[in-house]
Every structure is written in structure tokens, then in C-alpha cells.
Amino acid sequence: VIGVYPQGRRPVFKITMDDGASTEADDSHLWLYRLSEHTLKAKRRSIYGNQLRWRMATTPQIESFVSAGLKVRMPLTEPAAMTTARRYKCGLDPY
């Protein structure tokens, strides 16, 4: 974290994945996603064909896909790489 920019009070959503993992994000969080081709019928694949690639969407957009019955896929992430900056004391408790 290199800066804090007050945003006021914002709604926070809890997002739970199929494997039970969950996180919290606000409505402006950007998610990398793609729609699962298994939920798209063959004739609709041509309509949604461009959505089978990775795209970005906000939390409410992802919620609308799920509400419409579409399967949303999100990539697994790698663990965060630590840099040499961790050698320096910044005065903040990491927990």
C-alpha cells in the first residue's frame, strides 16, 4: 500500500466461489472472468462467442451474469511475490 484515498462509506459484497473460498469487494472492483461454454447452448455460442475469452467486469456485472444463470469462470491467482521492500519497517502491522 502506497497511499490511502478516502472513498466514504461504500457497500461491500461477499463473493463465494464454488470451492468455498470467499472474499469481499465493493461494487467498483474489477474481476477477470469468462463465461463457461458449458452453460451456453450451441446456437447462443455464436452470440456469446466473444465472451469466451477473458474479460473484465465489475462486481454488479458479475452478479447479473450469475443471476441470469450463466456460469462465470475466474482464473486462479498465484501467491503474491514478495519484494525486497519487506526489509524496511513501515510501521504498519501486516495483520
Side-chain angles (χ1 to χ4, degrees), residues 29-77:
H29 185 84
L30 293 175
W31 298 90
L32 187 62
Y33 80 97
R34 71 177 176 199
L35 297 177
S36 172
E37 56 190 274
H38 298 294
T39 59
L40 300 175
K41 295 188 177 182
K43 67 181 182 180
R44 288 179 31 204
R45 282 192 188 139
S46 61
I47 298 169
Y48 289 107
N50 64 341
Q51 297 215 18
L52 296 178
R53 61 187 164 94
W54 294 108
R55 302 178 65 117
M56 292 289 250
T58 62
T59 304
Q61 291 170 322
I62 296 293
E63 193 273 332
S64 69
F65 296 143
V66 174
S67 294
L70 298 173
K71 282 275 193 189
V72 177
R73 303 287 181 205
M74 294 183 182
L76 293 174
T77 58

Side-chain angles (χ1 to χ4, degrees), residues 6-21:
Q7 301 291 313
R9 296 183 69 83
R10 301 183 56 83
V12 175
F13 301 90
K14 182 176 181 180
I15 296 90
T16 304
M17 307 298 172
D18 285 342
D19 65 357

